[in-house]
Each structure stands twice: as C-alpha cells, then as structure tokens.
Amino acid sequence: MRRRFGVFGSLVAVVGWLATAGPLQAQTCADPRPAPGGPALYVEDLNLDAAGDAAIEVKLATGANEVAGTQNDLVFPAGVAVKTRSNGRPDCAVNPDINKGGTSFAFRTAGCPEGSTCVRALVLATDNVDPIPDGSVLYTCNVTVSGSGGTVGVSGVILSTPTGGRVDGATGRDGVVCVGGVAPPPSCADPRPAPGGPALYVEDLNLDAAGDAAIEVKLATGANEVAGTQNDLVFPAGVAVKTRSNGRPDCAVNPDINKGGTSFAFRTAGCPEGSTCVRALVLATDNVDPIPDGSVLYTCNVTVSGSGGTVGVSGVILSTPTGGRVDGATGRDGVVCV
C-alpha cells in the first residue's frame, strides 16, 4: 500500500533511524559489532583466521516492531564472492527456524557496481504472517573469501508487518568480513561514482593528511523529483563533526538549491557509543522546487584524525513537490581516508 506524506510532515514527524559504519580503514580485525537498535537488517561481522569458504549471516533487529517479512539487496565485493548453486541461483538459504518457506534469492545486474555481485533476498511465507523474533538469523549465504576480505553491502531494506504495512525507518547495516587479523587495505581507494538513486550519499574523501576538512552530502534523484530530504549521519571518532557557537552541528545547506528552511541538530537517542549523530532536514518554507540531480545538499565541517573513518548515512526520506514520499530511497556511507 502506497502512503502519502506532506512535504514537511514527512520530514519532521518520522522517527529516525541510525546505522553504524564499518571499520574500513582499521589495521586489524575489529571485534564484531553488536546488533543495531533497529528496525534494521544487518550482515553480522565475521573475522576469519584464513581466506577460504565461509558463510555470512543476515539478521533482523526489529526495533520493537512486528516483522513478518523482509526484502533487501546485498552487494558482494570481489574479496567476498557469493557462491552459485547448480540451478544458477545464489547459494543462500533461509533459516528454517523462522518458518518462512516462500523465501527466494536472485542475482541482480541492474545497478550493481562494477566488480561486485548483487543478490536480492525476499524473506516471506505464503502460509503464515507470523512475526519473526528479534535477533533472528534470516538467512545465510555461502561465500569464498580471498585476500583480506571486504565489506558486504546492505541496501533496499523493506520490513513488512503481519497486517501488510511497511515498518517506517528500516535501515541496513553492512557487514565486514576480515581475514587473518588484517582488514581491507589501508590505502585510499578512488572515490566511488554516485549511486544510481534514489539515494542520498556522502561523497568519499581522500586527504593527504589529517586535520580540518568538509564532507559533502549529495542527492541522486534516480529520475524522481525531490523537493526535500531528511537523513541521519553517524560520525566516527576519526571524523569528528565540529560544533558552532550556538551548540548546533557545523553544517550548512548549499545556497544554490534554495532550501532556506534547512536545519541540523545533534541526536543522542540510539547513537552508537563513541560516535556523534546529526539529523539533517533539507527543505524550504517558501517553495517546493525540485532539487537538481547530483546536487550538493549540504556540507559539514569535520576534524579528521588517524586514518579517518566512515560517515554513516541512514533514515533517508525523499519528498516530492506534491508531498509524496519517493519509494526505495536509500543512503550510502562515505569513506574519509587519510
């Protein structure tokens, strides 16, 4: 069922969600992170003694919601290659304990990043709408891990209630597969191109040295008209957002997009320990003009230390000029590398 939201109500009245960021730049395997607060679907971090065959687990954090079914996409990097069954399907299997026998898995090519393999998973049953217990393993996928491993991406998360509604604010958390005490290479990768959209993303940033910098948050419309946005950012200790004299985050809207009602605020509820969280609402009180595709929505001034870190993006809402909500909007984290 498609619901509609007022252009301002959809941005202000929705409960926020926070996703944590993967330790992409760590020199050794970090301890697996605890489950996110939810509602969320996440890949459990996995530390291996050596490269080879392994299985990743995809789990559910209900966030106190009743969840009867889920959908999500996984992006497997070259270092964590998902296996293929003899029937050409991904080598993934639903957890029989959750009683969702209608579950299916399929490879996806449309929009899959070059050099990666993408899988769509639908977890459901045709004979029941029983809620899935919080913390359950939804399914596993058999993989071949090479080199130092990599990060399995999670996107397009949809959680469905027993009555057929959609759980608001559902997010996905990527999972880090780390081999032999050595995390993915510490050298800075080339900044990634924009996602296909609809999405909001932090532009990857490579720095010659630690110190002050500014991150950019951008919009990929995916051919939709977008008049306003909401999202949460999670700043790790290595990418500390600055604070203005008024106690607000040191972030500023891009004046070129003409959204003078934009605001920024620190959030503590649900913010991961050791991180700083910011909610951004990009809107105008005097116009519903569409924001051009590829626009910088806003920037945040940060202090980068050590080797940097990953700025997490979650709780993405994109609103149309007529007050509707853009379906399928996602967020992509941004890597700040020194």
Side-chain angles (χ1 to χ4, degrees):
M1 179 179 69
R2 180 181 177 87
R3 292 180 292 167
R4 296 181 65 80
F5 299 79
V7 65
F8 304 121
S10 68
L11 297 174
V12 176
V14 178
V15 176
W17 319 275
L18 295 171
T20 59
L24 298 180
Q25 303 300 323
Q27 297 297 310
T28 59
C29 290
D31 291 336
R33 295 163 290 172
L41 188 154
Y42 63 103
V43 174
E44 186 81 87
D45 295 336
L46 181 62
N47 291 344
L48 302 173
D49 292 331
D53 293 341
I56 66 162
E57 294 183 333
V58 180
K59 293 185 173 182
L60 172 67
T62 64
N65 296 277
E66 288 199 327
V67 177
T70 74
Q71 175 180 307
N72 78 281
D73 296 324
L74 295 180
V75 181
F76 292 89
V80 188
V82 64
K83 294 185 176 185
T84 304
R85 294 183 182 271
S86 58
N87 61 3
R89 295 273 183 172
D91 190 4
C92 302
V94 67
N95 175 9
D97 293 339
I98 65 172
N99 194 27
K100 299 299 174 180
T103 297
S104 64
F105 306 93
F107 288 111
R108 297 190 66 225
T109 55
C112 191
E114 185 176 356
S116 302
T117 303
C118 297
V119 170
R120 173 157 290 177
L122 293 145
V123 177
L124 53 86
T126 57
D127 59 356
N128 74 78
V129 288
D130 299 337
I132 303 169
D134 183 49
S136 292
V137 174
L138 296 179
Y139 60 91
T140 58
C141 290
N142 291 317
V143 297
T144 300
V145 182
S146 59
S148 56
T151 299
V152 179
V154 181
S155 63
V157 173
I158 299 173
L159 306 182
S160 179
T161 69
T163 57
R166 181 168 173 171
V167 176
D168 286 333
T171 63
R173 191 183 78 182
D174 301 346
V176 177
V177 179
C178 182
V179 175
V182 180
S187 58
C188 293
D190 291 336
R192 295 163 290 175
L200 188 155
Y201 64 104
V202 174
E203 186 81 86
D204 294 336
L205 180 63
N206 291 343
L207 302 172
D208 292 332
D212 292 343
I215 65 162
E216 294 183 333
V217 180
K218 292 186 173 182
L219 172 68
T221 63
N224 295 279
E225 288 198 327
V226 177
T229 74
Q230 175 179 308
N231 79 280
D232 295 324
L233 295 180
V234 181
F235 293 88
V239 187
V241 64
K242 295 187 175 184
T243 303
R244 294 182 181 272
S245 58
N246 62 2
R248 294 274 182 171
D250 191 4
C251 302
V253 68
N254 175 9
D256 293 338
I257 65 172
N258 194 27
K259 299 297 173 181
T262 296
S263 64
F264 307 93
F266 288 112
R267 297 190 67 225
T268 55
C271 192
E273 185 177 357
S275 302
T276 303
C277 298
V278 170
R279 171 158 293 179
L281 291 97
V282 177
L283 53 87
T285 57
D286 58 358
N287 74 78
V288 289
D289 298 337
I291 304 170
D293 183 49
S295 292
V296 174
L297 296 179
Y298 60 91
T299 58
C300 290
N301 290 318
V302 297
T303 300
V304 181
S305 59
S307 57
T310 300
V311 179
V313 181
S314 63
V316 174
I317 302 172
L318 306 182
S319 181
T320 69
T322 57
R325 181 168 173 171
V326 176
D327 287 333
T330 61
R332 191 183 78 184
D333 301 347
V335 178
V336 179
C337 182
V338 176

